[in-house]
Amino acid sequence: MAGASRSSAAAREFVALGEWLDADPTARDRVWADPRAYAWTRAAHELARTGPPDALARHLYQFKAFALGAAWLGGRDCVFEAPLTAATPFALPGTRLSVDGPPLVEIAGLVGGRLCLGAAGTLPLDGRGTVTLDGLALHECPLARVDGYAVPLHPHAFSVPGLAVGEPAVRAGLAYHARHADLVERTLHLIRCHAPESFEAFRRVIRLIGLKPLAWGGFDDFSPAEMPGAFVASVIHNPFVLADHFIHELQHNRLQLVEESGPLFEPGAGEEARYYSPWRDKP
């Protein structure tokens, strides 16, 4: 009975926050354009189908993160029935802001542009990078800008439960991303100059980039299917080579979006699901 009651409360607050979100379509759309919104929605659908109810309830409570992002973007107040327990670093969806510090933080809402942290007080969402409350620091991630396109280099946005491939970017940190913002801009400039069609697709599709040292994570680059519009790339200091890697990850993102419309292949009859690939000379 306790589990059912918890599920009902989570569903009730989720519906109320969804209606609150819809009252400001501009802020809502910016939050829903965040790749994490897709990851959250996909997981919610799966949990609603398979359960268990407690897991769905815990997941629905995490919707509060998107409400916080919309509250900040729309200049509105948002107070929760029960606080959001968030692991740090915690990035506000749809924004470049994140907070870091103790492993867990309880957020009761956002009022007057300040995060409400219960008995700890309130944290103003300005004064970037300054430790302001009980060891919590507020940050703003760097941007890479080219020809009117600006893409966040936001490692904290890859701090998503279950997203192991995001860990190297999170560990690399904001200072690492800021140091390489110029390299990313030079890379995007080369794509715009030498592959303009790819650049136009890139600016439409890619909304979030994480960076990591080449030796970290056991992979060079990765586009998580759970977060279309995002990828993690290893830093290669030759922008021509890095441009090739960026275009490769763009194509992964585009292919994954196509696959969301339906499977590309029929189920395999053998033990291995291996097929002819038009992109390489082996299965």
Side-chain angles (χ1 to χ4, degrees):
M1 185 63 70
S5 175
R6 199 158 42 242
S7 299
S8 297
R12 196 166 52 246
E13 188 172 23
F14 164 66
V15 170
L17 286 173
E19 293 173 349
W20 177 90
L21 210 68
D22 286 341
D24 185 346
T26 300
R28 176 202 62 200
D29 290 351
R30 286 182 63 182
V31 164
W32 283 125
D34 189 302
R36 287 167 293 170
Y38 190 93
W40 183 90
T41 303
R42 172 187 268 199
H45 277 278
E46 183 63 19
L47 286 168
R49 187 176 67 85
T50 63
D54 274 3
L56 176 60
R58 288 193 297 272
H59 189 72
L60 290 178
Y61 277 128
Q62 295 303 309
F63 182 75
K64 297 170 187 177
F66 301 100
L68 289 171
W72 170 248
L73 291 168
R76 294 195 289 164
D77 293 346
C78 180
V79 178
F80 304 135
E81 291 180 15
L84 166 68
T85 301
T88 63
F90 171 70
L92 270 69
T95 80
R96 295 166 57 198
L97 300 178
S98 61
V99 292
D100 200 7
L104 293 175
V105 60
E106 285 202 342
I107 304 172
L110 190 150
V111 176
R114 302 171 73 96
L115 282 180
C116 302
L117 302 171
T122 61
L123 177 69
L125 296 185
D126 51 24
R128 312 287 189 259
T130 302
V131 177
T132 55
L133 184 68
D134 283 356
L136 280 174
L138 177 71
H139 304 283
E140 187 173 39
C141 77
L143 282 174
R145 297 181 175 90
V146 175
D147 194 26
Y149 170 57
V151 59
L153 308 180
H154 201 349
H156 292 171
F158 287 90
S159 182
V160 175
L163 189 71
V165 295
E167 187 277 334
V170 178
R171 179 158 42 110
L174 283 158
Y176 182 86
H177 285 68
R179 285 200 306 273
H180 294 99
D182 179 66
L183 173 64
V184 174
E185 288 184 347
R186 285 185 285 134
T187 298
L188 293 175
H189 176 75
L190 288 173
I191 297 174
R192 183 177 67 84
C193 290
H194 300 292
E197 290 186 1
S198 290
F199 179 75
E200 288 306 312
F202 200 99
R203 71 192 301 171
R204 287 196 311 272
V205 174
I206 303 302
R207 293 167 178 170
L208 180 64
I209 294 176
L211 302 172
K212 71 174 188 68
L214 184 61
W216 289 13
F219 61 92
D220 291 347
D221 314 299
F222 201 93
S223 293
E226 303 92 331
M227 292 174 59
F231 65 82
V232 176
S234 295
V235 167
I236 299 169
H237 291 279
N238 183 330
F240 284 92
V241 176
L242 192 56
D244 179 70
H245 285 232
F246 275 22
I247 291 173
H248 182 96
E249 294 312 308
L250 164 68
Q251 304 296 47
H252 271 301
N253 271 270
R254 296 175 80 180
L255 181 60
Q256 286 163 181
L257 288 168
V258 171
E259 286 182 304
E260 286 300 297
S261 300
L264 294 179
F265 301 106
E266 295 178 355
E271 294 181 0
E272 287 187 288
R274 295 167 68 85
Y275 306 92
Y276 164 79
S277 168
W279 292 284
R280 59 178 64 184
D281 59 1
K282 59 183 179 180

